[in-house]
Amino acid sequence: MIIPALDIINGNAVRLYQGNYQAQSNYGDPVNILQKYIQQGATIIHLVDLSGAKNPKNKQTSLINKLIQKTKKSDSKVKIQIGGGIRSALDIKNLLKSGANRIILGSIAITHPKETKKWFTYFDPDILVLALDVYIDFNKNKKIAIHGWQKKTDIQLEQVIQEYNLVGLKHVLCTDILRDGALLGSNINLYKSICQIWPNIFFQASGGTIQL
């Protein structure tokens, strides 16, 4: 399945190069792009509030709600998964109430794992997507980055997946940051390895995709 992504900063659709906020391409009004995705047959659309991911105080709540409503009005069957700046159970409830189908949990899953794991019990795990953005170093260690890719950690990808697998994890969105926006092709070996280890989890591959 192909899931088109729409990353938004300050009201504009953008593409970052390797997660660098200073190296972004601007594509204008996200509403127009959203409509094109729907017209081209998208069944799931991936929305990311990068302003909110970098700083939750800058969440683009009204725009995100507008995009969700536009999607549902155009085609009620199209599903929306959304992330960026989600820091509480209330954030999740509000997004679900506005019409989102799946909620992406990124930085909060790393900085506050105890609280985040509770949400997998409180909510249906099928509506939660764990977003794990990784930098792969020279020793092939897959280290997690947080806060809109601005902060690197020493936490390993496999460690996080295993911990959340124990509380019912069903969906993981894994991004190879060094390939994201670089048009270098997807990191096939990365996704093969994690799919083999956790065949019970649905993995979404992100970063570098340039062709079918």
Side-chain angles (χ1 to χ4, degrees), residues 89-90 92-93 96 118-125 127-128:
L90 181 59
I92 296 174
K93 290 178 181 178
L96 292 174
K118 292 179 182 178
W119 299 342
F120 282 82
T121 301
Y122 185 83
F123 298 99
D124 179 355
I127 63 102
L128 301 176

Side-chain angles (χ1 to χ4, degrees), residues 14-212:
V14 303
R15 185 184 74 210
L16 302 185
Y17 177 75
Q18 296 183 340
N20 186 350
Y21 278 69
Q22 303 306 314
Q24 67 181 51
S25 299
N26 192 318
Y27 296 94
D29 186 0
V31 174
N32 293 335
I33 297 175
L34 183 78
Q35 295 288 2
K36 289 181 181 179
Y37 284 162
I38 296 172
Q39 291 168 5
Q40 291 169 358
T43 56
I44 300 178
I45 295 175
H46 174 80
L47 292 180
V48 181
D49 180 352
L50 284 177
S51 294
K54 188 176 182 181
N55 185 345
K57 293 181 180 179
N58 296 328
K59 284 191 292 187
Q60 304 167 94
T61 304
S62 60
L63 175 58
I64 293 301
N65 288 338
K66 178 181 178 181
L67 291 170
I68 293 174
Q69 295 307 314
K70 285 279 187 182
T71 301
K72 299 302 179 180
K73 186 176 181 180
S74 297
D75 189 338
S76 61
K77 295 181 181 179
V78 176
K79 294 182 178 180
I80 292 285
Q81 66 176 34
I82 183 165
I86 296 166
R87 297 292 184 268
S88 68
L90 181 59
D91 288 338
I92 296 174
K93 290 178 181 178
N94 287 339
L95 286 169
L96 292 174
K97 186 177 180 180
S98 70
N101 301 98
R102 286 203 178 110
I103 309 302
I104 302 166
L105 305 175
S107 301
I108 190 69
I110 305 302
T111 59
H112 294 79
K114 186 175 181 180
E115 180 68 17
T116 306
K117 288 173 185 176
K118 292 179 182 178
W119 299 342
F120 282 82
T121 301
Y122 185 83
F123 298 99
D124 179 355
D126 194 47
I127 63 102
L128 301 176
V129 180
L130 200 62
L132 301 175
D133 306 324
V134 298
Y135 281 98
I136 301 176
D137 64 21
F138 290 111
N139 295 317
K140 297 185 178 180
N141 294 309
K142 309 172 191 73
K143 296 183 178 181
I144 302 293
I146 58 176
H147 301 317
W149 307 336
Q150 300 304 291
K151 181 179 179 181
K152 297 180 182 179
T153 74
D154 288 323
I155 300 171
Q156 300 279 340
L157 171 68
E158 294 87 349
Q159 172 190 343
V160 179
I161 296 176
Q162 183 55 33
E163 287 183 7
Y164 280 90
N165 186 45
L166 297 176
V167 294
L169 177 65
K170 291 188 176 182
H171 299 275
V172 172
L173 169 66
C174 183
T175 301
D176 181 343
I177 295 173
L178 294 180
R179 299 209 179 202
D180 194 74
L183 301 178
L184 297 174
S186 186
N187 189 340
I188 301 299
N189 290 332
L190 167 64
Y191 302 116
K192 275 186 177 179
S193 66
I194 56 179
C195 285
Q196 288 173 352
I197 298 171
W198 294 281
N200 58 305
I201 295 174
F202 296 96
F203 287 96
Q204 298 176 25
S206 173
T209 304
I210 55 175
Q211 60 185 1
L212 293 176

